[in-house]
Amino acid sequence: MPIRMELDDIDLKILRELQRDGRITNVDLSERVGISAPPCLRRLRKLEEAGIIEGYRAMLNGPSLGFDLVAFCMIGLTLQSEVNLRAFADRTLEWPIVRQSWMVSGESDFLLHCVARDLLTFQDFVIDQLTAAENVDTVRTMLTIRQIKNEGAIDMSGAPASHQP
């Protein structure tokens, strides 16, 4: 559980700059946010320790690596007790094809974001693993046609200083 902390204008600037360029050096970051490098690094470490910055990663182009299929699966469970929900959530962690997973409200219990090399690989996953998983009642799949937007960053423009996330 992230530690709650108050964010001032400098913290928000740091977060904005890191979302634009996660590989920025501390010296360049400090110049962009208007403070010297040592306090900038201290603030950065506090944001990391508080869990506001969860990590750093490269954004890869799936199709250029041969991962051409992106799909979403809406999963309905037979039983929705906390134990059953937790068991299915844990199961999603074992499936490499599932890149992101959300427990949701509404007609489904889970929404899975899947990436596969091709349709056959995805179909095999759905039939052999997903529909065969314990307590799975319904599986509805949606194949994507084209990605329109891929904005991983959080819009910090409306975030007030002293905001508690």
Side-chain angles (χ1 to χ4, degrees):
M1 181 88 176
I3 301 167
R4 294 201 181 259
M5 66 180 278
E6 290 198 21
L7 304 176
D8 63 15
D9 287 332
I10 299 295
D11 294 324
L12 294 174
K13 286 179 184 178
I14 289 171
L15 294 173
R16 280 187 205 102
E17 292 301 325
L18 285 173
Q19 286 189 120
R20 283 188 197 114
D21 181 3
R23 295 180 59 163
I24 190 171
T25 66
N26 185 57
V27 172
D28 289 341
L29 179 61
S30 67
E31 289 173 5
R32 287 190 192 175
V33 301
I35 60 175
S36 64
C40 185
L41 186 58
R42 283 193 296 276
R43 283 174 177 262
L44 179 61
R45 296 291 181 244
K46 279 186 175 181
L47 292 167
E48 291 170 343
E49 290 167 7
I52 292 170
I53 298 173
E54 293 181 332
Y56 305 87
R57 56 174 83 151
M59 293 173 54
L60 305 180
N61 180 311
S64 71
L65 296 167
F67 290 87
D68 293 318
L69 185 134
V70 176
F72 291 90
C73 299
M74 294 182 295
I75 311 302
L77 301 182
T78 305
L79 302 169
Q80 291 85 15
S81 70
E82 185 174 343
V83 170
N84 290 311
L85 292 168
R86 188 174 299 133
F88 185 81
D90 290 345
R91 188 73 189 268
T92 67
L93 302 175
E94 301 170 8
W95 293 322
I97 201 168
V98 175
R99 303 314 306 154
Q100 296 178 337
S101 175
W102 294 270
M103 186 182 302
V104 296
S105 64
E107 293 182 27
S108 299
D109 298 306
F110 286 87
L111 176 65
L112 309 180
H113 170 222
C114 301
V115 177
R117 288 200 175 275
D118 52 42
L119 183 58
L120 182 60
T121 303
F122 177 68
Q123 288 172 329
D124 287 346
F125 164 71
V126 170
I127 293 166
D128 298 337
Q129 296 179 50
L130 193 52
T131 59
E134 186 176 336
N135 197 34
V136 170
D137 182 41
T138 60
V139 175
R140 294 187 349 209
T141 62
M142 295 175 286
L143 299 178
T144 63
I145 296 170
R146 178 182 302 130
Q147 185 175 51
I148 305 303
K149 185 174 182 178
N150 183 13
E151 186 64 46
I154 294 174
D155 180 8
M156 299 295 294
S157 63
S162 300
H163 171 74
Q164 290 194 22

